[in-house]
Amino acid sequence: MNTVSYGLSERSAPPPLMPAVESFLGSSAAMQEVFRLIERVGPTEASVLLTGESGSGKERAAQLIHEGSARRDKPFVAINCGAIPPGLIEAELFGYEKGSFTGAVRAHAGVFERANGGTLLLDEVTEMPLEMQTRLLRVLESRKFYRVGASTEYTCDVRVIAATNRCPLTAVQAGQLREDLLYRLAVFPIDLPPLRSRGDDVELLANHFLSELNAQAVTQKRLSAHARMTLKQHSWPGNVRELKNCIERAFILGDSVLELAPLIQNAARGADSSASGELAANNGYARDRERLDIRVGSRIYDMERSLIEATLDYFKGNKRRAADALGCSLKTLYNKLNGYSQSQECANS
């Protein structure tokens, strides 16, 4: 058996952790604890499990851990496990050889190879198929893997950080995450707090985003007193990502003084107002993020398609979570979507 080894012949000493930069800011007690944990674990080789709601900054936390380690000059590679079809995730993780399957016209290095010597972030790891979790556990323990279609064994040197917006223990109980993989990944767990629990960090981040936009546009726009009140009153379910997008929209629409309340109110009721007006034009259904309205007399085909598309939209395109919610297998969901695509192609031809 042939073996290919990768490794770092020498690593420089880790630097002191730099202060949080870009959108990963915070003066709240919750964020100061996060920074303390990142500073402690960064220089080590421990596996880290980051948990927290979508938009709370898990990938940025992973980058800071990488930057605070001796691997900082090596690659940082991130992969979203929930966004990759089950049939392709092995090839994305471990790579493949030319001709190993239909469409493999050339050899391809997977993320474990591309991250060699550095750090690999497995985002939404709880969405990975159980069979692949078994293989991942084996690779994490042995540091060896095979490309798809290869007989050569590769040895890699990768620090793994995992992230999820689910409760890991709940995922284990639901049969969506292997318990032994959880213990392997969660050597050092860090929970990212939601923005609504971070107090004055909301205004701190808003000022930061506005300062960046002012610098880019060479302007001096500012938030109104009412906008600053809105910052404190809104619950920010989309966390830092939602806040950043809201500030950018206000910056584009506003002149010298920016307001936020109208933007937040329009976003909240936008789905309802647009859905009611589009009911007849969309095969007799309308939807917002959590509700689907279907006109009596709609075709079963259209109703099923509407439900599937609405569920996919709710879970932001995550097909595994959508299939779980719909009570069907992932294969069935893919077959349905392929059928819709073929129908659309026929309609356009």
Side-chain angles (χ1 to χ4, degrees):
M1 179 180 63
N2 297 323
T3 301
V4 177
S5 297
Y6 294 113
L8 290 173
S9 58
E10 182 178 355
R11 293 203 187 105
S12 55
L17 186 72
M18 296 178 64
V21 294
E22 297 179 7
S23 61
F24 208 65
L25 301 168
S27 60
S28 63
M31 285 306 296
Q32 290 302 308
E33 176 63 9
V34 168
F35 297 147
R36 186 186 72 82
L37 294 174
I38 289 175
E39 185 173 11
R40 296 292 293 182
V41 78
T44 74
E45 289 293 303
S47 298
V48 180
L49 178 63
L50 300 169
T51 57
E53 297 178 5
S54 294
S56 57
K58 295 186 292 295
E59 183 167 348
R60 185 60 189 135
Q63 291 172 335
L64 280 178
I65 292 170
H66 172 72
E67 292 166 9
S69 74
R71 298 174 180 267
R72 63 192 180 277
D73 295 325
K74 297 296 181 178
F76 173 86
V77 179
I79 183 172
N80 188 325
C81 301
I84 303 172
L88 297 179
I89 192 166
E90 180 181 10
E92 286 298 317
L93 288 175
F94 308 124
Y96 55 83
E97 295 295 333
K98 178 181 179 181
S100 56
F101 53 84
T102 302
V105 296
R106 62 178 63 86
H108 173 75
V111 292
F112 271 88
E113 283 185 73
R114 301 203 298 271
N116 181 64
T119 303
L120 173 61
L121 171 62
L122 298 175
D123 199 6
E124 303 304 342
V125 69
T126 52
E127 312 309 316
M128 184 181 294
L130 287 174
E131 179 185 358
M132 190 51 55
Q133 291 182 27
T134 303
R135 298 185 186 183
L136 174 62
L137 179 63
R138 188 178 305 120
V139 172
L140 294 178
E141 293 175 342
S142 68
R143 294 182 175 269
K144 298 178 181 179
F145 65 91
Y146 290 91
R147 283 184 176 182
V148 176
S151 58
T152 299
E153 185 180 62
Y154 289 78
T155 301
C156 64
D157 173 20
V158 175
R159 181 186 192 177
V160 172
I161 299 175
T164 180
N165 59 13
R166 296 194 185 198
C167 170
L169 293 177
T170 301
V172 169
Q173 294 169 358
Q176 296 166 329
L177 178 66
R178 287 181 59 101
E179 187 174 21
D180 48 3
L181 179 60
L182 171 61
Y183 293 141
R184 180 65 180 79
L185 294 172
V187 175
F188 197 90
I190 299 178
D191 185 57
L192 278 294
L195 187 56
R196 61 183 173 275
S197 69
R198 291 173 53 182
D200 292 339
D201 284 355
V202 179
E203 188 167 354
L204 175 70
L205 286 163
N207 289 335
H208 171 73
F209 296 140
L210 182 56
S211 295
E212 284 188 328
L213 293 168
N214 275 325
Q216 293 169 9
V218 194
T219 56
Q220 294 183 347
K221 296 183 181 183
R222 59 185 177 83
L223 295 171
S224 71
H226 190 263
R228 295 190 181 280
M229 185 64 66
T230 302
L231 288 173
K232 298 178 180 179
Q233 293 175 341
H234 187 52
S235 62
W236 302 108
N239 292 294
V240 179
R241 186 181 297 123
E242 180 190 2
L243 173 63
K244 184 175 183 180
N245 291 343
C246 185
I247 295 296
E248 186 168 359
R249 287 197 303 273
F251 187 87
I252 293 171
L253 295 171
D255 294 321
S256 58
V257 181
L258 309 184
E259 297 291 347
L260 301 180
L263 299 178
I264 294 173
Q265 292 166 1
N266 288 338
R269 64 172 179 254
D272 282 333
S273 60
S274 61
S276 60
E278 297 172 0
L279 182 59
N282 288 286
N283 296 322
Y285 77 91
R287 76 189 189 216
D288 60 21
R289 285 282 294 164
E290 297 183 357
R291 188 183 73 249
L292 181 68
D293 297 327
I294 300 175
R295 169 175 289 176
V296 174
S298 299
R299 295 190 306 162
I300 293 177
Y301 172 87
D302 292 332
M303 183 174 62
E304 180 186 69
R305 178 173 181 174
S306 300
L307 177 61
I308 288 175
E309 291 176 344
T311 305
L312 277 170
D313 180 61
Y314 181 80
F315 288 110
K316 301 179 181 180
N318 189 312
K319 296 180 178 63
R320 176 166 293 279
R321 296 185 68 182
D324 290 343
L326 291 165
C328 67
S329 69
L330 196 57
K331 181 178 180 181
T332 297
L333 179 59
Y334 273 105
N335 289 340
K336 295 284 186 183
L337 295 174
N338 289 336
Y340 302 150
S341 298
Q342 292 171 4
S343 297
Q344 188 65 42
E345 290 173 2
C346 291
N348 295 335
S349 62

